[in-house]
Amino acid sequence: MDMIRVSSSAISAIGYDERMMRMRIRFIQGDTYDFCGVPAHIFQGLLNARSKGTYYNDHIRDRYQC
């Protein structure tokens, strides 16, 4: 999965596999997590969010477990 570097104080890169509906998030501290069953609009929302950390907390955290 290709990762896109993002400007954020919490997240360093994100990736998305549309066919598998799987999103990968690499955090600044180095941990990487996969999220399953993620709709494309959630990935796009994270990619376009002004605050990636806030968007993650509001729309992704504790959801989409693999």
Side-chain angles (χ1 to χ4, degrees):
M1 173 183 313
D2 292 333
M3 299 293 285
I4 301 166
R5 294 179 73 48
V6 295
S7 177
S8 169
S9 61
I11 296 171
S12 65
I14 60 175
Y16 187 67
D17 181 329
E18 189 169 3
R19 186 178 61 81
M20 299 294 292
M21 293 180 67
R22 183 177 291 240
M23 181 168 58
R24 182 169 293 150
I25 300 177
R26 183 178 308 126
F27 290 88
I28 294 292
Q29 75 270 21
D31 294 329
T32 301
Y33 296 97
D34 282 0
F35 299 86
C36 295
V38 178
H41 75 271
I42 295 291
F43 169 72
Q44 285 299 322
L46 179 60
L47 189 61
N48 296 327
R50 176 173 285 152
S51 171
K52 310 277 190 276
T54 298
Y55 189 91
Y56 170 79
N57 286 332
D58 291 347
H59 300 282
I60 300 164
R61 186 177 187 164
D62 298 326
R63 299 179 177 99
Y64 307 112
Q65 286 82 14
C66 291

